[in-house]
Structure formats: structure tokens, C-alpha cells
Amino acid sequence: MTFMDRGSKPAVLVTGGAGYIGAHTAKALHEQGFLPVVFDSLSSGFREAVRWGPFVHGDIRDAGALADAIDAHNVKAVIHFAGLIEVGRSVVKPDLFWEHNVGGTVTLLSTMREKGVNRLVFSSSAAVYGQGGRAALETIPEAAPKAPASPYGDTKLACEWMIEAQCRAYGLTAVALRYFNAAGADPSGLIGEAHEPETHLIPLAIAAALGDGKPLTVFGSDFDTPDGTCLRDYIHVNDLAAAHVEALKAELAPGAYEAVNVGTGVGASVLEVVEAVGRAVGRPVPHSVGARRAGDPPSLVADPARAGALLNWRPVCSSLDQIVSDALRWERSPQYGAGVRGGRCGTVQTTHA
Ligand code: UDP
């Protein structure tokens, strides 16, 4: 029996549910008959992105606020996104990342235990792998060595260890999802991704093609990959959202802990992305090749077999053309325009590898 059997519309606390992946997951939960209760401090997410259930304004380091939200909404399970995500910032402010990401998760887990909530899906990242001594184009299974290349990755791995230990000790049942490159947007155009400043390839390539941004710089073309540019595993945010719902519904024994990659298993090169954006916009992306970006591994591609076997999950909308056309629709939507071009971000922040 899963917690789903206990109520007709089980309430799921979605910490960080006003952010990019959290908002898409809240929509997917709603569509699957759950009540997403978004708990967010709005330090990087946006109130406008909370559309599919109640909103609680709070910080995950605040045990009282978490306990009140769990009581008020009769919460049965938690999907935990809240945390800091900027890899570069984690290098200069590691203490902040440990306080928010690890400290916040300590508080969340003890509050869940106190309230008898024993089902968790945790937002982890392919950043837990780092380079890990892998051969250049190998896909990455969950058992691959863990060697995070940043304090951000360290905090995600530390949270995974802590959660696993609490599953063993207290009978918590948890799935950690290790995301590869989350991208795209919901086709509704209501929610999507925006960062300020933007650093991600797909939005920058779209802005360059639309003439809204600078020409794109391709960071290195001398990698040991088929066309010399980096390979990444781009996963549509709605496929990622669906993986969270499947992780929540999976029939797992009490005390089970699972870590699962969420990716397609297929890498796309920077130049392939540039071509796909050109096709979607109808104009080529102005670009030139520059130096490598520090810390970029040549290839980060998931072995997604475990997600298929354990969660019965497969990506259905993660072709590069679909990702890029949905990202383009979002960047042209009034919501994006009102947010980003109006001087603030729309639905911001994602957990990236
Ligand atoms: N990239 C690029 N030019 C840019 C931004 C990114 O060539 O202006 C490359 C980057 O080197 C990486 C890929 O695009 O190989 C994806 O980068 P992104 O920042 O989107 O995601 P990451 O893989 O760093 O999480």
C-alpha cells in the first residue's frame, strides 16, 4: 500500500515549488490528482508560479513553519526542491550552501519524522558525480564514483547520504532524483525558466537568434567529442516533473532509499543545440567559438535504465526540437515578457548538473 491509498487527493508539500522545476512539478501533481502545497521563501522563486494549489510562505530552516504547513494541509508526502543552486556562488560562499541545503534538509527531515510524514522525493543533481575518473563519452550509471566538483555538488551528496541513513534508521521511504540538464518549459507558456543573469546555453542561444542578446560564444571546440563541443543530456522539464510524480507513486518498501538518474541517455553537442535553435527561430544563431569554460567536462550523459526499471518512467517530450520550441514559446510569452523584460525574473532557478 502506498500513501496514495489513504486519501482521495493526497496533499504533497512541495518545498521550492515556486521555482522552475518545482512549479512544473506542482502542475504535474495537480494533473495526477494530488494537491501540491507549495512551501517557498520566494528568495528566488515567484508567487506567480504558484497556480495549482495553496501557497505557504516559509523558509525550510524554520521547523515551526514546516510543522504548521504539514498540519494545516494534512500533508502526506514531501517533494523537496528548496535550496541554493548556483554552482559558482557555492564556491565563494560554501557555508551558505551548507546552511541552506544541508541544514534546511536536516530541519525538514526531523519535522517530517515528528509529524509522521514518511515519504520523500529529493531534488538531487548529476553534480554529485563530477568527473569521477570516467572515460570521455561513457554514460553515467547511479553507481558511478561520486566526486562533486563544487560545494553545491557536495551539499547534494551530503543530503543524499543523510536521507539514506534516515531511511535505514527511521523507516523513511525516499527517492533522490539526479537531474541532468533541465531545459524547456511547459507548452502552456504559463511557467518556464529565466535567470538573471542568464548563463545557460538554450536561453542564450534563443536570445542571440532573436536579436535580443549578444551573439553566442561556444565554450570550446577542441573537446574529445564527435564535433569537438561539449555533450550534455538535456531533459525537458515536464519529463523531469513526471519523474517526480512517478517517484512519489512508486511502490517501495518502508525504509527503502533509491537514487535515480533523470536524463535521456543521449547527449547533444553545443553545436547541435545551436542548430536546433536556428531551426526553431527560423534564423541562424550568431555565434563564434571561444575558450573553454572552467570546469566544463566534455560529456555528461545519464544512463537512465534505472528510472525505466524502478519508476517505469521514460522521457516523452525531450527531443531537442521539442525542448527548444517550448523554451522559445516561453521566451515569447507575455508572462516571460512581464517578468524578465520588466526587470525581474519570471519563474527562476533550477537545479542544474
Ligand atoms: N555553453 C556554451 N556557451 C554559453 C553557455 C553554455 O558553449 O554561452 C555550453 C557549456 O560549456 C556546456 C553546455 O553549453 O557545455 C551547457 O551549459 P549550461 O550552462 O546550459 O549547463 P551546464 O551543463 O553547465 O549545467
Side-chain angles (χ1 to χ4, degrees), residues 181 199-201 204 216-219 230 232 234 270 293 296 352-353:
N181 284 55
T199 61
H200 291 111
L201 176 62
L204 287 176
L216 184 78
T217 302
V218 173
F219 295 145
C230 287
R232 292 290 180 274
Y234 296 92
V270 175
R293 183 170 67 178
D296 266 344
H352 267 266

Side-chain angles (χ1 to χ4, degrees), residues 40-84:
D40 200 298
S41 69
L42 299 184
S43 60
S44 59
F46 283 81
R47 180 67 184 85
E48 299 87 320
V50 183
R51 294 169 172 263
W52 292 280
F55 173 63
V56 180
H57 187 215
D59 190 300
I60 40 157
R61 294 165 300 166
D62 181 345
L66 282 167
D68 288 350
I70 289 171
D71 284 342
H73 297 282
N74 193 20
V75 163
K76 303 288 186 205
V78 176
I79 304 184
H80 177 35
F81 294 98
L84 304 178

Side-chain angles (χ1 to χ4, degrees), residues 98-304:
W98 280 82
E99 186 196 331
H100 283 255
N101 294 2
V102 181
T105 304
V106 169
T107 303
L108 174 67
L109 294 182
S110 54
T111 309
M112 286 174 67
R113 189 150 62 94
E114 180 195 312
K115 293 291 171 189
V117 178
N118 54 18
R119 188 78 193 226
L120 175 71
V121 179
F122 174 62
S123 163
S124 189
S125 167
V128 300
Y129 298 115
Q131 258 314 278
R134 214 170 41 247
L137 300 181
E138 244 174 82
T139 57
I140 307 175
E142 286 81 0
K146 312 297 179 299
S150 69
Y152 164 73
D154 291 340
T155 63
K156 287 292 174 185
L157 189 55
C159 285
E160 285 200 20
W161 286 340
M162 175 167 62
I163 292 165
E164 183 173 14
Q166 296 205 20
C167 288
R168 241 183 269 126
Y170 305 126
L172 173 71
T173 304
V175 180
L177 297 178
R178 295 177 183 153
Y179 315 151
F180 283 68
N181 284 55
D186 188 69
S188 66
L190 290 173
I191 48 176
E193 177 185 24
H195 300 90
E196 190 58 47
E198 187 53 74
T199 61
H200 291 111
L201 176 62
I202 292 175
L204 287 176
I206 289 174
L210 291 174
D212 293 343
K214 292 185 296 199
L216 184 78
T217 302
V218 173
F219 295 145
S221 62
D222 57 350
F223 290 94
D224 186 15
T225 59
D227 68 14
T229 64
C230 287
L231 293 175
R232 292 290 180 274
D233 189 339
Y234 296 92
I235 177 87
H236 195 294
V237 65
N238 274 354
D239 278 335
L240 202 44
H244 289 80
V245 180
E246 293 309 323
L248 202 60
K249 293 192 323 195
E251 296 221 9
L252 299 172
Y257 171 78
E258 301 285 348
V260 180
N261 285 339
V262 192
T264 65
V266 179
S269 74
V270 175
L271 290 180
E272 284 171 331
V273 171
V274 163
E275 277 161 29
V277 170
R279 277 195 299 276
V281 175
R283 294 196 273 284
V285 176
H287 67 278
S288 59
V289 175
R292 291 184 179 195
R293 183 170 67 178
D296 266 344
S299 167
L300 278 175
V301 180
D303 173 346

